[in-house]
Every structure is written in C-alpha cells, then in structure tokens.
Amino acid sequence: MHTVIAYDISDNQNRLKVFRILSELGFNSQKSVFECELQSDEILRLVSRLTSYIDPESDSLLVYPLCRRCAGGVAVLGQGISLVQTDWQVI
C-alpha cells in the first residue's frame, strides 16, 4: 500500500538516520516526506525501528497509509512527483 511518511526531528544525527532508513524503502518527495510501498506488517516494523530516533517531547513522525482509491485521488501541482501505482510485486 502506498504510504506517506513525514517527520520533524530536531536532532541532526537522528534526522539523518531516519532519512537513511527511509531512503532504502522509498523516495524523498519533499525535504522531510517520503513515499513508500509497504505492507501493513512492514509499516509496523518500520515504526518500531524508527521509534528509537524520535524524542516524543520535541519530534514527530507521521505515517499515512493510503488505500488505492485515496492514492488515486492525490493531486500533484508544480514540481511534485506523481504517485506510481503498480498492480504487481517483485518477489
């Protein structure tokens, strides 16, 4: 499922670690926003993995799983990258 992940992390080292982890899973569509194709169990594992880099007092991590219908309704204006939907998986 198409998943949008946004973060606001104050610590530079933790922000870089989160950026690197997310770079392995998807593409960086905005400065602190990634888009990934993840299954429900992968989302849970990712959130668990990223928890150690988030300070709940100062940081935020937002994960938005989009259903097919919702992802199809995304509007991209300007220089944005359109969502790519696939009906197949590479195993």
Side-chain angles (χ1 to χ4, degrees):
M1 110 183 37
H2 198 83
T3 307
V4 177
I5 303 166
Y7 58 90
D8 185 6
I9 301 172
S10 56
D11 182 83
N12 289 335
Q13 288 181 327
N14 285 341
R15 188 172 50 251
L16 180 59
K17 289 176 184 175
V18 168
F19 179 88
R20 287 182 177 158
I21 291 168
L22 294 174
S23 293
E24 295 172 5
L25 300 172
F27 68 94
N28 185 217
S29 59
Q30 294 285 321
K31 288 183 181 180
S32 297
V33 178
F34 275 81
E35 297 183 41
C36 310
E37 286 295 327
L38 301 171
Q39 300 300 318
S40 297
D41 60 323
E42 293 173 312
I43 293 171
L44 293 174
R45 283 195 306 269
L46 176 63
V47 169
S48 177
R49 183 175 176 194
L50 295 179
T51 298
S52 62
Y53 303 112
I54 304 298
D55 178 353
E57 299 297 319
S58 61
D59 301 337
S60 64
L61 176 74
L62 306 169
V63 179
Y64 301 99
L66 301 177
C67 68
R68 224 176 254 284
R69 191 176 119 219
C70 294
V74 171
V76 179
L77 305 174
Q79 299 297 313
I81 299 171
S82 296
L83 300 175
V84 176
Q85 295 293 317
T86 58
D87 290 334
W88 48 270
Q89 291 183 11
V90 176
I91 298 177

